[in-house]
Amino acid sequence: MTSPATPLTLTLGHLYPDQLNLYGDRGNIVTLRRRCQQRGIKLRVVGLGIGDALAPDEYDMLFIGGGQDREQAPVSQDLYEIKGIGLWASIEDDMPVLAVCGGYQLLANYYRPANGPDMRGLGVFDAWTISKGPQQPRCIGDIAISWHGMTLVGFENHGGRTYLGTAKPLGKVLKGYGNNAEDSNEGAIYRNTYGTYLHGSLLPKNPHFADHLIELALQRKYGAGESLLTAQEEPPVLNGKTHIGITDAADLHVATAAPEVSTRLTPLDDSLEWEAHASQLERLGLHTEAVAALRIQKKG
Ligand code: GLN
């Protein structure tokens, strides 16, 4: 139970910020920090570069971005030799992890680049990635996928084609390429670890997904069953209530949550975010989905 004066705090480990930082992926960190700040939650961000150890107890959530093949090679080695054990322990302990593109590929079994040897992955996702080089055009462009009856929008730019073994997809492609432009799968999920090709960056235009990650981290750290609403001066940041929101309770691998209860964050004014989300859906010709997105904005 947090004491009345203690603000909620979260620590985010940003893996390989200097190597895996393509297409504005850092915007995901900015969004998480802003959405926490607006609720009085303190988000501390710690960069973890090549050679840095990953001590699971020091973090509440992790982010790994995308990169070019030449940056992925040393990261693959570091993951295997240095961070792998700590990362696996965090993932098996239901820490929320977001892995984008190159980072996503290296959490699967292996990445076979167009040139050079296969890069070992951690095998978190039972999946593999093969880049066919210049024979096959890169998957580049705006993308929209389904997620829990709603949509996620972003931008993709990858040569690798990812094929899922037993890993579940994050969602189904509505417009764009997704994992491999063949089976309409996009991304992968394992426990609270999410892999996706959606750059953009992803979270600014998908506030519901950003909040989902924050909720998972808070519930894992503070417990969903416990009331966090001690008599705090500042407005409450969490409303404990029974709800099956954007994430079915069954999907919430939250160690302490009672199966039927999850906690909700105080809603923010996401008008701008949902307008941006809806306009990308419109541009992709997904008019029904755009109207649905604007309806979420109206509900607030
Ligand atoms: N280098 C990998 C590929 O081309 C990942 C690219 C990325 O992270 N955007 O598939």
Side-chain angles (χ1 to χ4, degrees):
M1 180 78 77
T2 49
S3 67
T6 320
L8 300 181
T9 61
L10 291 173
T11 301
L12 182 145
H14 184 183
L15 274 68
Y16 311 108
D18 298 332
Q19 290 78 21
L20 299 184
N21 53 14
L22 282 186
Y23 312 120
D25 285 341
R26 198 176 285 274
N28 294 311
I29 307 281
V30 173
T31 299
L32 289 169
R33 180 179 263 139
R34 182 92 184 99
R35 297 187 75 79
C36 283
Q37 192 181 43
Q38 288 175 295
R39 290 154 167 143
I41 302 166
K42 186 168 172 12
L43 180 73
R44 193 167 69 93
V45 179
V46 177
L48 287 154
I50 300 274
D52 292 340
L54 194 168
D57 297 349
E58 292 177 12
Y59 303 97
D60 302 300
M61 51 199 317
L62 298 170
F63 172 72
I64 177 169
Q68 296 172 58
D69 291 7
R70 67 169 174 274
E71 276 100 13
Q72 286 177 277
V75 167
S76 157
Q77 195 170 347
D78 184 81
L79 273 175
Y80 199 77
E81 293 170 358
I82 309 277
K83 295 186 188 44
I85 293 175
L87 187 47
W88 256 114
S90 308
I91 289 168
E92 289 296 344
D93 191 34
D94 295 325
M95 186 182 297
V97 179
L98 175 62
V100 175
C101 205
Y104 160 37
Q105 293 170 340
L106 293 179
L107 292 194
N109 299 335
Y110 64 85
Y111 170 41
R112 181 166 298 159
N115 306 301
D118 288 5
M119 297 182 204
R120 275 179 304 207
L122 273 190
V124 171
F125 303 121
D126 177 22
W128 58 97
T129 302
I130 297 171
S131 175
K132 292 176 184 157
Q135 294 95 309
Q136 218 174 35
R138 292 180 68 81
C139 301
I140 299 178
D142 285 347
I143 177 172
I145 70 170
S146 62
W147 181 63
H148 279 286
M150 296 204 273
T151 46
L152 296 176
V153 296
F155 172 80
E156 59 184 326
N157 182 337
H158 53 101
R161 268 54 173 185
T162 298
Y163 300 90
L164 303 182
T166 58
K168 278 195 319 183
L170 173 63
K172 288 294 184 185
V173 176
L174 299 172
K175 281 287 174 77
Y177 298 97
N179 281 344
N180 51 46
E182 296 162 38
D183 59 18
S184 83
N185 284 327
E186 156 45 31
I189 300 176
Y190 175 71
R191 301 182 81 97
N192 290 335
T193 299
Y194 298 90
T196 180
Y197 274 114
L198 273 66
H199 286 288
S201 44
L202 171 67
L203 297 182
K205 285 194 269 194
N206 299 286
H208 50 324
F209 193 65
D211 282 354
H212 171 60
L213 296 172
I214 296 169
E215 273 187 10
L216 286 174
L218 287 172
Q219 288 162 5
R220 178 175 173 272
K221 181 170 185 178
Y222 294 105
E226 277 179 84
S227 159
L228 296 168
L229 305 181
T230 47
Q232 294 177 358
E233 288 77 48
E234 57 273 11
V237 289
L238 288 173
N239 304 324
K241 63 171 66 170
T242 306
H243 88 105
I244 304 289
I246 50 175
T247 306
D248 294 336
D251 286 355
L252 275 180
H253 293 288
V254 181
T256 54
E260 73 290 348
V261 172
S262 68
T263 46
R264 293 188 73 115
L265 293 164
T266 306
L268 299 176
D269 174 4
D270 289 331
S271 323
L272 206 58
E273 289 79 355
W274 283 112
E275 274 164 33
H277 186 108
S279 71
Q280 180 158 341
L281 291 169
E282 281 291 352
R283 282 203 308 276
L284 289 167
L286 297 166
H287 309 300
T288 311
E289 291 79 359
V291 169
L294 288 173
R295 226 180 257 129
I296 296 170
Q297 172 210 355
K298 293 270 177 291
K299 271 198 308 193

